[in-house]
Amino acid sequence: MKKVLFSLSILSILIISSCGSDDGGDTSVDNQVTLGDETFDINNGGFVDFGDTEGTSQGAFILTDGAVSIAGNTFSVSQATISISFTLVSVGTGGLQSGTYPFGDVVSTGSTNAFFGAAISANGASPQVTGGTITLSGSSPNFTITLDLDLNTDEKLTGGFAGEFSTE
């Protein structure tokens, strides 16, 4: 009888432990970004892999509601009301790592990941990024990107895009 009770106790612990919520949080995105009080659909993404240089992996991304084309290392966007471009860098080789990328460089952020060179164009305005994070998961050409950016307009740009990215 003791063995049965012990077995049931262990089984109960395993069931309770496995039913707990994940600590990873919700990483789903709805392919939209919000800038201030305006929401934009994001229909396309582009990715240029700069490869591994000097102990880092780097890649440039663009998210937009327009059409994306890539020539060499340059993005072209047409028919867009919004475009968001940025460069991610990971310390180490082997490609960009899934994770959170704070604004700045890897030295100033104290992180092994960082983003810089962010540019936003929305309805003719070009707010500047002053801080925040970008979260990356997946691998080329299928990425999920989540944005939580602070802007010089005292607004935030939040949201993301998940899907297949155009590549060079």
Side-chain angles (χ1 to χ4, degrees):
M1 180 69 172
K2 287 183 181 180
K3 287 183 181 180
V4 171
L5 287 176
F6 179 73
S7 296
L8 288 174
S9 297
I10 296 297
L11 183 60
S12 297
I13 290 170
L14 290 174
I15 290 172
I16 290 170
S17 298
S18 66
C19 291
S21 66
D22 292 336
D23 291 334
D26 182 11
T27 58
S28 64
V29 297
D30 58 5
N31 292 349
Q32 293 183 327
V33 294
T34 301
L35 173 59
D37 59 0
E38 191 168 3
T39 299
F40 300 87
D41 291 328
I42 300 297
N43 304 319
N44 293 299
F47 172 63
V48 174
D49 186 354
F50 295 138
D52 298 335
T53 56
E54 298 181 10
T56 64
S57 297
Q58 296 185 32
F61 290 84
I62 192 160
L63 306 176
T64 184
D65 62 351
V68 175
S69 60
I70 302 171
N73 292 337
T74 305
F75 295 116
S76 295
V77 176
S78 60
Q79 301 174 335
T81 55
I82 188 165
S83 63
I84 307 151
S85 61
F86 50 89
T87 299
L88 300 182
V89 60
S90 292
V91 173
T93 58
L96 294 170
Q97 303 300 308
S98 291
T100 300
Y101 290 71
F103 178 70
D105 59 56
V106 292
V107 174
S108 67
T109 63
S111 174
T112 56
N113 299 327
F115 82 91
F116 62 93
I120 300 169
S121 175
N123 288 329
S126 299
Q128 301 298 304
V129 175
T130 59
T133 60
I134 296 174
T135 304
L136 172 73
S137 63
S139 60
S140 183
N142 298 299
F143 294 104
T144 298
I145 293 183
T146 305
L147 306 169
D148 185 8
L149 307 179
D150 301 321
L151 307 176
N152 66 336
T153 57
D154 293 328
E155 296 176 304
K156 291 186 79 67
L157 186 143
T158 59
F161 178 75
E164 185 172 346
F165 282 64
S166 299
T167 57
E168 53 185 328

